[in-house]
Amino acid sequence: MDFNISSSPHDRTPMSTAVLMRRVCYCLLPGIAAQWWFFGWGSLVQMALAVVTAYGAEALVLRLRGRSLASLGDGSALLTALLIGLAIPPLAPWWLVVIGTAFAIIVAKQLYGGLGQNLFNPAMVAYVLLLVSFPLHMTSWLPPLSLQPYPATLADSLSAIFTGFTLDGFSPHQLRELADGSTMATPLDTLKTGFGQGRTAAEIQASPVFGGLAGVGWQWVNLAYLAGGLALLRLRLISWPIPLAVLASLFLFSLLGWLVSPDTTVAPPAHLLSGATMLGAFFIATDPVSAATTVRGRLVYGTLIGLLVYLIRTFGGYPDAIAFAVLLANMTVPMIDSLTRPKTYGEPR
């Protein structure tokens, strides 16, 4: 009689990819709700466009490759689309998110062989493509609704996205100019522009957009993504080393920079609670396909991302740096994994 032996634990049920992706999307909901509350309907429209484009592009490529369309149900296209939609300015033209999402699915994912084969995070590849190709549109974030003289309704958002003008005839650029009489678009934009003009951190943070630790709206959006990230950890959908290393290294390097030069840099809360910091630390850097796999490697990988975010924000030309930091770290993953590979039993040290 055959006697089968298997390793423990014996009561663990493997989680399917579809369930994993769906639960990650659920954990995005607090951040999505906060982004809608502070920045309006535009982000929801952009996510809807991204989802339709992602599934259409993936179905097309699968058909051309002669593969089954059943893999559309794994949820990976949905998650990629949501991340791209969240990264696009709410009133950006419709074709921007369509181009970015199609590129993410067709080139950054399927061209490498599909889910599990991509070297880089598809959503961040799309974001960088759009930022480099269409910098004016990708930096056209409006201030939070409370700081806008003419907050866009759902109908205004749809009209601006598909026609370029709100129902009252304002373009997103005009809305930003009207709001910029008292504030800039985002806290990170304000910091980058202010430091370039030779102003001190205290003078810049006197702007109405800094109505708190890290900016009106943005700090609450980041706290919402932090809550979603903690849910990911609680559900064991991600492991702790990467987000901990990203946030700890960003805090440490920003603290050192602030202590050395408080007039030309900002305190750690402005880095941790602005831009896409929490979204990047918990939902982007932890991509299981493109991230490091060993425990020590994940700590090194996350630390590298935090360092790159601080360096690019402080010395680079882009206000937020999550996408560039993640893609640069993705390039180092094979070397990190090879150098941090644990010793097997009996292997000489």
Side-chain angles (χ1 to χ4, degrees), residues 146-161:
S146 60
L147 298 178
Q148 295 181 31
Y150 302 101
T153 63
L154 174 59
D156 286 325
S157 299
L158 289 168
S159 180
I161 291 170

Side-chain angles (χ1 to χ4, degrees), residues 76-286:
S76 60
L78 174 62
L79 180 58
T80 298
L82 293 179
L83 293 175
I84 295 174
L86 290 169
I88 299 291
L91 299 186
W94 63 270
W95 50 263
L96 196 71
V97 70
V98 170
I99 291 175
T101 307
F103 187 86
I105 298 298
I106 296 174
V107 177
K109 179 183 177 183
Q110 291 294 340
L111 192 63
Y112 282 95
L115 180 64
Q117 305 298 320
N118 50 288
L119 300 178
F120 303 98
N121 185 291
M124 294 301 95
V125 171
Y127 179 84
V128 169
L129 168 77
L130 296 176
L131 185 60
V132 173
S133 303
F134 310 102
L136 180 61
H137 292 296
M138 288 297 291
T139 55
S140 61
W141 280 84
L142 291 173
L145 295 177
S146 60
L147 298 178
Q148 295 181 31
Y150 302 101
T153 63
L154 174 59
D156 286 325
S157 299
L158 289 168
S159 180
I161 291 170
F162 288 102
T163 70
F165 297 92
T166 66
L167 296 179
D168 293 327
F170 292 109
S171 69
H173 179 69
Q174 289 173 320
L175 290 175
R176 181 172 178 175
E177 284 188 334
L178 291 171
D180 281 354
S182 61
T183 180
M184 288 291 292
T186 69
L188 292 176
D189 284 328
T190 306
L191 289 169
K192 181 64 66 176
T193 303
F195 287 139
Q197 296 171 345
R199 300 165 62 193
T200 65
E203 293 172 340
I204 299 170
Q205 290 179 303
S207 168
V209 78
F210 281 98
L213 292 174
V216 176
W218 290 101
Q219 57 196 11
W220 293 107
V221 170
N222 273 275
L223 288 173
Y225 284 123
L226 172 61
L230 295 177
L232 289 177
L233 292 173
R234 179 67 180 84
L235 296 172
R236 297 185 179 180
L237 302 176
I238 62 173
S239 57
W240 60 266
I242 292 178
L244 176 64
V246 171
L247 298 178
S249 61
L250 180 57
F251 175 86
L252 175 61
F253 292 119
S254 59
L255 177 62
L256 292 176
W258 180 67
L259 292 175
V260 171
S261 181
D263 288 336
T264 58
T265 56
V266 291
H271 283 283
L272 294 175
L273 297 177
S274 62
T277 301
M278 294 298 172
L279 178 65
F282 288 98
F283 293 92
I284 297 174
T286 55

